[in-house]
Amino acid sequence: MWRSLQVTASALVFSAAVGVPVGTWLALTRFRGQRVLNALIYTGMGLPPVVVGLVVYLFLSNSGPLGNLAWLFTIKAMVVAQVIIATPLVVGVTMSSVRAVDPALRVQLRALGATRWQATVAALVEARFGVIVGLVAGFGSIISEVGAVMLVGGNIDGRTRVLTTAVVLETRRGNFDVALALGIILLTLSFAANLIMVMGQGKLAES
Amino acid sequence: MTKRRILILFLIFALASLTTLLAACGDKEKPAPTPTKEAATPLPTEEPTPEPAAPARLILATTTSTEDSGLLEYILPDFEAKYNAEVDVIAVGTGQALELGQNGDADVVLVHSRAREDAFVADGYGTARYDVMYNDFILVGPAADPAGIKGMTDAAAAFAQIAESGSTFVSRGDDSGTHSKEKAIWTAAEVTLEGDWYISAGQGMGEVLTMSDEMGAYTLSDRATYVARQATGLKLEILVEGDPILFNPYGVIPVNPEKHPNINAELGQAFADWITSLETQELILSFKLNDQSLFTPDSEAWRAAHSGE
Amino acid sequence: MTSAPLYTLRDVRQVYGARTVLDIPALTVQRGEVLAVVGPSGAGKSTLLRLMALLEAPAQGEMLLHLNDERVTAETASIAQRRLLAMVFQRPALLSRNVRANVAYGLRLRGERNGQKRVEAALERVSLTHLANAHPRTLSGGEMQRVAVARALVLEPRVLLLDEPTANLDPYNVRLIESLIREQHTAHETTIILVTHNIFQARRLATRVVLLLEGALIEEGSAEEFFDSPRDPRTAAFLSGEFVY
Ligand SMILES: Nc1ncnc2c1ncn2[C@@H]1O[C@H](COP(=O)(O)OP(=O)(O)O)[C@@H](O)[C@H]1O
Ligand SMILES: [Mg+2]
């Protein structure tokens, strides 16, 4: 269970570290081909996880281009797959929520002496609710994901077995009660994470 | 303030339920009399690695049947103790297991699909194939037996009769060893697989047994998974067994280091030697569920030792 | 009131898309004056103010801002120089934080950690002390506009640019904001550029007035001249309310 959290939390941190700045940047700049890029990102938000897993497997496989890393069937491979699944979600949601911030506000802040950077940070802070929703969505999509982590993690007992893959195994074994118990833990974790974030939103609103 | 209190209460509740659930599954996760690692370690002196170095890592690609039945959990601690190794089990379909070996993503494969195993070795992906054990396939179905095949001894004839009566049959449809076997029997029965009665599930044995049970359908299963699932309330019955075509031999193949130099070939070979050794074969025989051995030892060493019987 | 130029504009044009929305051959703003920019809606008043706030550079021509011994443009001004200006927009765009945090924002940008006293004083000046912890979405239009004004005043800018700060406000808020402008001017000699379409407000506050019509500068003069003896017939027409805005 802690492994589930560990994998998902590290994947989410990476996704946020990449996705939030990229999403903010995309929201605030205009360039050629942006529509195409947007369409790509929205497609990425719905990437089939198993396909992501397959591609990551092919890359990390001993006969693949990144085989030398020896990441296959390790936590790292799972994190990579989850980052690929969650990042477009974080980028997309960050982008649309930063875009929803009144553009006049940024100009107004510039007129109060904000540097471009400070105004951008302020816009991101304004969009915090949306960004948090994006992170929650990303978290939900990867903690409950099974196909990709099964493929690249291998569901190795004590190493890469996470809640979802354990549920699959126990179901296959016919231990429906154990599978269900694990499923409940999974749900509880999701719920707890979401609750904490929602509470965080409440705190932010009061500040 | 109240929000924070609710949050704390919730967290306490969540943690409490988590610990109870974890404790509950901890008990159940280990089936049968699994020798623990601690019990296995006190007899080390007989084998090669004396210094307690960091354990070597062996990646074993195998079929879901060996893991799902609990066999590996039962026998692997012995190997891990003797060779100071940790075995990472990747339990997938035979097709994927061989693919992993072919890509150099596993050090050794343990599967059951004779023709493909031989091709794997012939193509140079494996060094050699060794007999390990067998279990047998059984044709299971609902007690009502709408196709009337109970007690038949010719599996192909039984399959033909199922097709004729249009009774539902659930196929693994996942390119697994079981699926290969099933297709071979259909070919022998000269049946073309068309119509609503034939369902290709694309899932593991456990799922397919569950599906068949729910649908009152026939399916081909390996005995190990079936017996294991029987213990958890499966109602399907064995209708046809004992036909030589239903024989399901497992082979072990160390992956060829010439194709992939960075695999752990030495330990892979050691694993093949270990699992075919007389001692391990005894261990396999002693793995029982509901008082039935699920796998019958069948290595060369075993056959030599028991040829007199 | 010293007579030194603060802004000099020469042949300034601003173009949006293919449209020229502002075209000013020459205009000078003196240090320490209260300049009212009047004109109907769409005349280019806000555009002129954004240029003066260094938020945009003109498409053509030159607008220089004289700061100490330097002359800067939108492109060359340093952040420290920009921070000598503060502009309040026509529509108050507030941060979704409480009123106090909004007023403190500009000071925080400048890294001033000990601005609390100034923030409280600014809140006091706009009579919003009792709403310091309120969220902007709970405020009335007049209160929001007062927050926006306080947010600029607290910075003690050398130049204060106000874009229709009292549009759509009730008489109480209009009077309050006007008195703040007057007080800021007399007490700190802040140069104030006030965009308004309310000629009565211009008359009450301005030392000098310019009239813009469709991007063109029609008339420029001291408040007395402008109101009592306009040179251009269109100014007279505007003053008599013949323009719809
Ligand atoms: N960013 C912009 N893009 C295109 N046109 C604009 C933009 N800003 C203002 N305009 C146009 O320029 C003209 C002048 O606008 P503005 O300066 O806001 O007028 P005022 O403040 O006097 O009402 C208007 O016709 C307006 O539609
Ligand atoms: Mg305007």
Side-chain angles (χ1 to χ4, degrees), chain A residues 102 104-116 118-119 121-123 125-126 128-129 204-207, chain C residues 50 53 55 79 82-83 85-89 91 93-98 105-106 109-110 135 151-152 155:
Chain A
D102 183 359
L105 179 72
R106 263 186 318 134
V107 186
Q108 167 71 81
L109 298 181
R110 296 272 288 149
L112 290 171
T115 61
R116 237 167 248 288
Q118 286 171 325
V121 169
V125 173
E126 289 296 297
R128 59 194 181 261
F129 291 92
L204 282 179
E206 287 156 23
S207 68
Chain C
R50 280 197 301 274
L55 295 171
I79 184 68
R82 287 169 173 280
R83 285 178 175 171
L85 318 174
M87 173 166 166
V88 175
F89 281 39
R91 193 164 50 85
L94 301 181
L95 297 162
S96 54
R97 313 174 190 175
N98 69 26
Y105 180 76
L109 289 179
R110 288 158 173 77
H135 195 277
R151 190 164 64 165
L155 302 173

Side-chain angles (χ1 to χ4, degrees), chain C residues 185-220:
Chain C
H185 181 243
T186 48
H188 302 277
E189 292 194 13
T190 308
T191 307
I192 293 171
I193 299 171
L194 169 71
V195 166
T196 177
H197 58 222
N198 179 341
I199 49 168
F200 302 104
Q201 181 168 64
R203 187 160 218 166
R204 287 194 291 270
L205 296 174
T207 56
R208 230 151 56 83
V209 186
V210 298
L211 171 66
L212 291 183
L213 283 183
E214 292 174 1
L217 195 149
I218 302 299
E219 175 124 14
E220 172 193 356

Side-chain angles (χ1 to χ4, degrees), chain A residues 1-2 57-58 60-64 67-68 70 72-74 150-151 153-157 159-161 163 166 168-178 181-182 184-186 188-189 191-193 195-196 198-199 202-203 206, chain B residues 3-4 6-7 10-11 13-15 17-18 21-22 24-25 28-29 31 56-57 59 64 67-70 73 86-92 96 99-100 102-106 204-207 210 214 225 228-229 232 260 262-263:
Chain A
M1 171 186 81
W2 297 123
Y57 164 73
L58 290 174
L60 295 181
S61 161
N62 237 324
S63 6
N68 287 337
L72 192 64
F73 304 137
T74 66
M150 184 74 116
L151 205 61
N155 189 23
I156 299 169
D157 192 13
R159 235 182 236 280
T160 60
R161 181 160 302 160
L163 280 171
V168 170
L169 178 70
E170 296 303 341
T171 306
R172 228 162 52 195
R173 284 180 167 171
N175 297 330
F176 290 166
D177 47 351
V178 179
L182 292 171
I184 291 169
I185 296 178
L186 191 63
T188 312
L189 275 185
F191 181 65
L195 196 69
I196 288 168
V198 170
M199 297 273 180
K203 277 268 147 55
E206 287 156 23
Chain B
K3 266 189 195 169
R4 178 171 294 173
I6 293 169
L7 180 65
F10 171 78
L11 283 178
F13 162 78
L15 275 177
S17 50
L18 284 186
L21 282 170
L22 272 185
C25 1
K28 282 179 190 167
E29 244 171 23
R57 192 175 165 214
I59 301 181
T64 48
E67 175 163 64
D68 293 0
S69 61
E73 263 175 80
E86 271 183 39
V87 182
D88 291 344
V89 177
I90 316 288
V92 288
Q96 197 184 342
E99 191 72 24
L100 290 175
Q102 192 165 322
N103 290 340
D105 296 322
M205 197 71 250
E207 287 98 333
T210 306
E214 299 288 340
T225 310
R229 290 299 320 278
T232 64
H260 301 287
N262 53 348
I263 63 159

Side-chain angles (χ1 to χ4, degrees), chain A residues 17-43:
Chain A
V18 175
V20 172
V22 169
T24 308
W25 181 75
L26 285 176
L28 301 181
T29 40
R30 299 279 164 275
F31 54 86
R32 261 162 176 280
Q34 190 161 31
R35 276 161 199 272
V36 179
L37 189 68
N38 285 351
L40 280 176
I41 288 166
Y42 292 136
T43 311

